[in-house]
Amino acid sequence: MQAEHLLSVGAELGEGPVWIDGALWFVDIKRNTVFRFDPAARALSSWPAPEHVGWVLPSAQGGLIAGLRSGPHRFLPETGAFERIADIQADLPDNRLNDAAIDAQGRIWFGTMDNLEESETGKVFVLDNGAVHEAGLAAVTITNGPAISPCGSHVYHVDTLGRKVIRHAVSAAGTVDAGSLFLDFNREDRADWGYPDGAICDAEGGVWLGFYAGSAARRFAPDGTLTDEVRFPVSNVTKIALGGEDGRTAFATSARQGLSEEQLASQPLAGDLFTFRTAVPAAPPRKANT
């Protein structure tokens, strides 16, 4: 399958797509910008963020929760205001928040990473009713996801530079087990697949991954079997979201970051938004309890 070009954005690091109430929200992390795209009206709106912003997610208490560099904030689109909820890893000024997901209890699982992409200082945290605690997953350099299964029984933790995905069982209280290897992209037959990036789960528990430096998005069944591969005309595919009227329209963000002048010349659509259709719809929408 081939992805179709949907919208010119030219993002340095497009990320965090999420379908909320008939529109696609996403960010450009490195340009400190939050976007809202209304496909029906073909309208794109944007808001400046005070720091690098990794994601926005809907809140049951109104507005959105935004993952800024220093920690989660409440974001009010009607005023453009960002209100700090918590500081994360204040002792590590080179770290920032990167990716996130909401579980069935409304908890936000989010990861941090070394913005220099050198040190294993990236950890996963949980935001639950305004309080933050560590999730208990292994530290890595770049965290992605975690993706959460529809029933909430498993969390998929992406170690991007390690090129693997670890699956952890989750208890009702939100504690995790030691985990087991779910996907390994260091295998010889996957050497040219690039780096696993943003992750989501669909309604059947399938795991969709964008592949940075891999020109593709791929879906894996809960047993790890590859079921779908979608090719892109750009190298850096960062993450997909499922939405639209039937939940079967995929939206994918991409990035210009790290591409040479020659690569950018051959990839004029790098950093733009793409779309394709899927057989399995999105998991039921969730809102944060914070």
Side-chain angles (χ1 to χ4, degrees):
M1 187 187 303
Q2 296 286 329
E4 298 179 7
H5 184 255
L6 178 62
L7 182 70
S8 296
V9 181
E12 183 70 12
L13 183 52
E15 262 289 5
V18 59
W19 184 257
I20 306 173
D21 298 333
L24 184 78
W25 291 79
F26 62 103
V27 302
D28 185 341
I29 295 177
K30 292 302 179 73
R31 292 177 179 166
N32 302 3
T33 305
V34 176
F35 293 98
R36 179 186 184 273
F37 176 59
D38 181 344
R42 299 288 302 179
L44 181 68
S45 304
S46 64
W47 293 260
E51 303 170 352
H52 287 348
V53 53
W55 44 267
V56 294
L57 292 169
S59 169
Q61 299 182 23
L64 304 169
I65 306 300
L68 297 191
R69 183 199 62 78
S70 59
H73 287 59
R74 188 173 302 282
F75 169 49
L76 304 175
E78 59 271 24
T79 65
F82 290 83
E83 302 171 355
R84 187 181 305 273
I85 296 171
D87 289 318
I88 305 297
Q89 295 183 319
D91 59 325
L92 297 172
D94 289 328
N95 271 27
R96 63 171 174 82
L97 273 61
N98 192 47
D99 198 6
I102 302 173
D103 70 13
Q105 286 73 37
R107 299 172 295 216
I108 297 180
W109 297 64
F110 65 92
T112 64
M113 62 168 283
D114 175 14
N115 201 34
L116 303 177
E117 301 183 10
E118 296 173 351
S119 302
E120 290 188 348
T121 53
K123 292 186 176 181
V124 176
F125 296 83
V126 178
L127 174 63
D128 186 9
N129 285 302
V132 176
H133 64 269
E134 286 193 29
L137 307 185
V140 299
T141 304
I142 300 177
T143 65
N144 263 295
I148 302 170
S149 61
C151 63
S153 62
H154 290 88
V155 164
Y156 296 86
H157 180 211
V158 182
D159 177 358
T160 294
L161 292 189
R163 302 185 74 234
K164 59 187 177 182
V165 180
I166 305 299
R167 178 166 57 191
H168 297 265
V170 184
S171 72
T175 59
V176 299
D177 71 0
S180 59
L181 183 65
F182 176 63
L183 296 170
D184 183 2
F185 301 107
N186 296 295
R187 291 171 19 184
E188 185 175 350
D189 60 331
R190 297 174 174 177
D192 61 349
W193 281 23
Y195 296 87
D197 205 313
I200 63 167
C201 286
D202 60 25
E204 293 183 355
V207 179
W208 277 99
L209 289 164
F211 281 83
Y212 204 94
S215 302
R218 295 180 175 91
R219 179 188 185 272
F220 300 87
D223 66 358
T225 302
L226 175 66
T227 63
D228 299 83
E229 180 179 75
V230 183
R231 304 298 301 180
F232 287 72
V234 296
S235 294
N236 301 331
V237 182
T238 53
K239 189 175 182 178
I240 77 160
L242 297 177
E245 292 185 0
D246 61 0
R248 293 178 53 238
T249 297
F251 301 91
T253 47
S254 65
R256 298 168 60 85
Q257 176 183 266
L259 298 179
S260 66
E261 291 186 9
E262 182 178 2
Q263 289 173 317
L264 288 171
S266 66
Q267 299 178 41
L269 304 181
D272 286 357
L273 202 63
F274 297 84
T275 188
F276 57 93
R277 294 284 289 167
T278 65
V280 180
R286 297 163 176 166
K287 291 188 176 183
N289 61 22
T290 295

